Amino acid sequence: MRQPTVLIVDDEPTNIEILNQILEPEYDIICSTDGPSALDLVDRQNPDLILLNVMMPEMSGYEVLETLNSREARREIPVIFVTAWGDERAETKGLGLGAADYVVKPFRPATIKARVRNTLVRYQTERRLSEELERDVRATQSRIAVSALLETSLEPLPLKKQLGHALDIILSIPWLAVEYKGSIHLLNESTGKLELTAQRFLAAPLLTQCAELDIGECLCGLAAQRREIVFRSCLDHDHTVNFPGISEHGHYCIPILLQARLLGVLNLYVPHHHKRLPEEDALLTTIANTLAGLIENRYVEQALEDERRFITTIMESTAAFVVVLAPDGRVVQTNRAFMQLTSMPESAILGKYLWDEALTVQEDAEALRTALLEAALGVRANACESRWRVGEDQPERIISWSNTALKDASGEVANVIATGIDVTERRQAEKRLERLAHNDALTGLPNRRLFTDLLDHAIQRADRNKGRISVMFMDLDRFKAVNDTLGHDIGDMLLIEASQRIQAVLRKNDVVARLGGDEFTVILSDKGPDREEASLVAQKILDTLQQPFHLKEHECKIGASIGISHYPDHGEDVETLIKKADIAMYAVKRSGRNRQLTFDASLETPSES
């Protein structure tokens, strides 16, 4: 699969080298040191994403983006400004021109990687997936964010920096309609006040006015007081902290609760008159619960007890399926989501192997067992998929598992953490897309692309087994007259029934495909030396198609012109066999239609031979 291409534009080679080292393992990198050459690279190589410096001597990053916006074919390429210019007006201008993000140097490698990854996911998803897959995409992005928050929580950083990184992750979730600014206040239990602990791009007056808030003061204080999400689509009387020139906006203020205990408030900005969405409420509640675990992990005194409480909080607040396993694969702990998946109480699950037949479809059990035991060796994390039993009379679910070893202080594997997500709908959608790519939408038959592949495989098999193949190319006679006089609906019905009649004549191993319009092709494979068999089958097709078609209140009569070629007599490759059958079919049409004809060299014109 092709790696995304990232264009780095910066007049400082050192900056290019730093970004290249961070991103090169995951992306194909191309570079430019000035705006004009960058625009030329965009035209020639069409990158998937551009990392663009603002201040460059010949042509600024703003001018490069304005030029890209003026080009219809290049507007959809996401641009991230990466600059040392951290002024709010500079950021506002860049984002106003349509930049996907604005990253201020210096930055953490994990932050730039997360922003590049999330930006690419967002833009590629918008171009590629239909509305049917949007919910799955949002769920995936949300899981990525929650996973990133979990990874951040494990970093040995002070709480303030940890919450700053958490804000970066939250504000980078592609589908979440928040502005790139926000804050986290933590409750000082000794003073009873909310203290500003982390923020991104708050206006300068707010850094002073919001440094310390009373419970009940402004929207953050209300969220803390009510222990529930406070949403406002605009500035109203509850927004008591103001300053001259404040821009119109809305807020999500989410209390960070550990059970019933208030730890702080997450404050996010939304566009003016933004409409509140249940999906946003659900995700923000999960994020707040995850933050609660992160914060609590820094508050408790004993590291081991901290870790246990943290894992319990995360397991019960995440929508992912989390299972803690002993090194031998036996379940020692699960979360609520996993028990809901299995429809079994925890007592019935504890002590079982995760690949037990009561849980996993047995055809997938060995692959799951191998993956989990490999993870238990502590060499590397791994991933696998398995079909899952979810109770009687319920369809199986496809679960994607990520398996990671948890080591103790001595370096020995203490547990394996298996985290699963339900990818059933995604896999079903992929199968539907695969079917659309290889099958005719009207009849369900193989299309030209799939027919060509099937014929190529049949030729290879016949070559190995010294076998024979017959190829038929047929065109329905008088179909156009039916379609023109009775309408496309009747024409479509006729094509569907004709395809069914042809299939009924063929053997199970034979293939019929619709190439388009009223053209069909047939592969008769695994044939013996008798070439007359193809003629007999073709005559059966002619006979069945000559029978009247009763379509609604209409009776339609058609026929077919069929050309036949044989492997290896008339050709040894796909193109030649189809061409020879096509020549024979057109010879039938010229001579009166509604019959069959096997290719003969005399049928070829000099230009065709």
Side-chain angles (χ1 to χ4, degrees):
M1 183 176 179
R2 182 182 73 86
Q3 287 186 320
T5 299
V6 176
L7 169 60
I8 302 174
V9 186
D10 198 306
D11 59 327
E12 288 292 337
T14 302
N15 293 337
I16 291 177
E17 180 61 26
I18 291 172
L19 287 169
N20 188 49
Q21 289 177 359
I22 293 171
L23 300 175
E24 189 175 27
E26 299 179 35
Y27 306 98
D28 290 331
I29 305 299
I30 55 177
C31 307
S32 172
T33 56
D34 60 78
S37 64
L39 293 171
D40 181 61
L41 276 173
V42 169
D43 288 335
R44 287 189 289 108
Q45 299 199 32
N46 193 29
D48 296 289
L49 181 139
I50 301 173
L51 296 179
L52 181 60
N53 190 15
V54 173
M55 300 301 295
M56 294 185 291
E58 186 172 352
M59 188 179 191
S60 74
Y62 296 142
E63 293 172 322
V64 172
L65 182 52
E66 287 175 334
T67 303
L68 289 173
N69 288 340
S70 69
R71 301 179 180 180
E72 184 73 27
R74 304 304 179 199
R75 289 179 186 170
E76 298 303 318
I77 301 176
V79 173
I80 298 178
F81 280 119
V82 182
T83 176
W85 200 13
D87 181 76
E88 183 177 358
R89 289 175 297 174
E91 180 202 2
T92 301
K93 180 177 180 180
L95 296 177
L97 288 173
D101 207 343
Y102 194 100
V103 180
V104 178
K105 306 171 186 174
F107 48 76
R108 295 176 62 253
T111 299
I112 194 69
K113 289 177 72 175
R115 294 194 183 182
V116 167
R117 179 178 67 243
N118 286 335
T119 300
L120 280 171
V121 168
R122 180 171 76 248
Y123 277 79
Q124 291 172 351
T125 297
E126 288 172 356
R127 291 194 296 263
R128 185 175 67 249
L129 295 182
S130 65
E131 184 177 347
E132 181 183 4
L133 297 177
E134 183 176 353
R135 183 179 301 174
D136 184 54
V137 171
R138 289 186 174 189
T140 299
Q141 293 171 346
S142 301
R143 286 192 292 268
I144 290 173
V146 172
S147 296
L149 289 174
L150 295 177
E151 292 173 5
T152 297
S153 71
L154 299 176
E155 296 179 1
L157 297 173
L159 180 57
K160 186 173 182 178
K161 284 189 176 181
Q162 209 166 51
L163 293 179
H165 296 164
L167 262 180
D168 289 332
I169 293 167
I170 296 166
L171 297 175
S172 298
I173 298 173
W175 72 268
L176 194 60
V178 296
E179 298 178 2
Y180 206 91
K181 61 174 67 175
S183 63
I184 295 176
H185 284 76
L186 294 184
L187 178 66
N188 185 326
E189 294 185 349
S190 62
T191 64
K193 293 180 180 293
L194 295 169
E195 296 180 349
L196 180 61
T197 306
Q199 62 86 23
R200 288 292 182 266
F201 299 108
L202 291 189
L206 297 180
L207 298 179
T208 301
Q209 296 181 51
C210 296
E212 192 174 77
L213 296 173
D214 291 324
I215 300 297
E217 182 182 0
C218 203
L219 300 181
C220 290
L222 279 178
Q225 184 180 63
R226 297 175 180 177
R227 304 293 204 272
E228 63 183 25
I229 295 177
V230 171
F231 172 82
R232 295 291 187 274
S233 63
C234 60
L235 300 177
D236 64 4
H237 63 280
D238 288 327
H239 197 290
T240 56
V241 174
N242 287 289
F243 60 89
I246 189 171
S247 60
E248 291 288 348
H249 62 271
H251 278 282
Y252 270 113
C253 293
I254 309 98
I256 302 172
L257 303 170
L258 187 66
Q259 298 177 349
R261 183 160 64 95
L262 177 68
L263 298 180
V265 175
L266 169 64
N267 169 42
L268 302 175
Y269 285 66
V270 296
H272 186 49
H273 291 319
H274 173 68
K275 182 180 179 181
R276 184 176 188 175
L277 298 176
E279 300 97 308
E280 292 177 343
D281 273 26
L283 174 59
L284 294 175
T285 299
T286 298
I287 286 174
N289 289 339
T290 305
L291 288 175
L294 184 154
I295 295 165
E296 176 67 6
N297 187 56
R298 292 300 178 205
Y299 281 172
V300 294
E301 294 182 357
Q302 296 182 354
L304 183 58
E305 186 61 25
D306 291 354
E307 183 176 323
R308 288 177 180 172
R309 293 185 185 182
F310 173 69
I311 291 176
T312 300
T313 301
I314 298 304
M315 287 178 62
E316 295 307 321
S317 64
T318 183
F321 315 123
V322 182
V323 185
V324 181
L325 306 170
D328 66 355
R330 294 182 185 273
V331 177
V332 297
Q333 188 178 358
T334 68
N335 69 341
R336 185 181 296 110
F338 180 78
M339 287 185 286
Q340 290 173 346
L341 170 72
T342 60
S343 300
M344 297 169 65
E346 188 176 38
S347 59
I349 299 172
L350 296 182
K352 289 184 180 296
Y353 293 108
L354 198 58
W355 56 84
D356 189 277
E357 63 180 7
L359 303 173
T360 304
V361 174
Q362 285 305 285
E363 289 85 346
D364 299 341
E366 184 57 30
L368 179 60
R369 174 181 175 275
T370 300
L372 290 171
L373 294 182
E374 283 182 356
L377 294 175
V379 178
R380 61 180 177 84
N382 61 44
C384 65
E385 289 187 5
S386 64
R387 288 170 294 165
W388 209 253
R389 303 187 189 280
V390 294
E392 296 182 2
D393 302 323
Q394 295 293 323
E396 298 167 350
R397 308 298 294 178
I398 301 174
I399 308 301
S400 177
W401 293 102
S402 176
N403 310 306
T404 305
L406 183 64
K407 297 183 180 181
D408 58 23
S410 66
E412 296 295 323
V413 174
N415 296 102
V416 173
I417 308 299
T419 305
I421 57 174
D422 190 333
V423 296
T424 306
E425 284 74 21
R426 185 193 309 173
R427 295 294 176 259
Q428 290 172 346
E430 289 170 353
K431 286 185 178 180
R432 288 194 295 271
L433 291 175
E434 180 75 10
R435 180 171 177 79
L436 288 175
H438 293 91
N439 293 82
D440 175 51
L442 177 64
T443 63
L445 296 177
N447 60 14
R448 182 183 296 272
R449 177 180 174 183
L450 180 55
F451 174 79
T452 301
D453 290 343
L454 293 172
L455 181 54
D456 184 57
H457 293 158
I459 290 172
Q460 295 178 31
R461 187 168 59 252
D463 182 59
R464 289 193 302 270
N465 301 331
K466 306 302 180 184
R468 298 175 59 81
I469 300 171
S470 293
V471 176
M472 298 183 190
F473 199 114
M474 72 181 73
D475 188 275
L476 302 184
D477 299 332
R478 297 185 296 280
F479 170 76
K480 186 176 185 301
V482 173
N483 201 47
D484 291 345
T485 57
L486 300 182
H488 295 300
D489 289 344
I490 297 298
D492 287 348
M493 293 171 63
L494 191 151
L495 289 171
I496 292 171
E497 186 172 336
S499 69
Q500 293 170 347
R501 291 189 185 186
I502 295 171
Q503 285 178 296
V505 169
L506 302 178
R507 301 169 305 176
K508 183 178 180 180
N509 292 335
D510 297 331
V511 174
V512 58
R514 182 186 176 213
L515 302 190
D518 59 352
E519 291 183 340
F520 293 83
T521 49
V522 171
I523 304 172
L524 301 181
S525 56
D526 302 324
K527 289 168 47 57
D530 186 4
R531 291 178 52 176
E532 295 303 318
E533 181 181 346
S535 295
L536 293 174
V537 174
Q539 188 58 48
K540 290 181 181 179
I541 294 174
L542 290 172
D543 292 341
T544 189
L545 292 178
Q546 288 174 8
Q547 299 300 315
F549 288 77
H550 297 283
L551 308 172
K552 292 186 177 179
E553 68 275 14
H554 305 286
E555 179 179 286
C556 306
K557 293 184 178 181
I558 64 169
S561 298
I562 303 177
I564 305 172
S565 64
H566 298 290
Y567 169 90
D569 305 33
H570 302 137
E572 298 183 357
D573 60 78
V574 170
E575 183 179 353
T576 301
L577 289 171
I578 294 177
K579 177 182 176 182
K580 298 296 176 67
D582 188 36
I583 291 172
M585 185 271 289
Y586 274 101
V588 172
K589 281 192 171 293
R590 289 194 297 268
S591 64
R593 306 189 178 191
N594 200 34
R595 67 186 185 89
Q596 58 166 302
L597 180 64
T598 298
F599 173 80
D600 184 88
S602 65
L603 300 176
E604 285 188 300
T605 63
S607 63
E608 293 171 328
S609 58

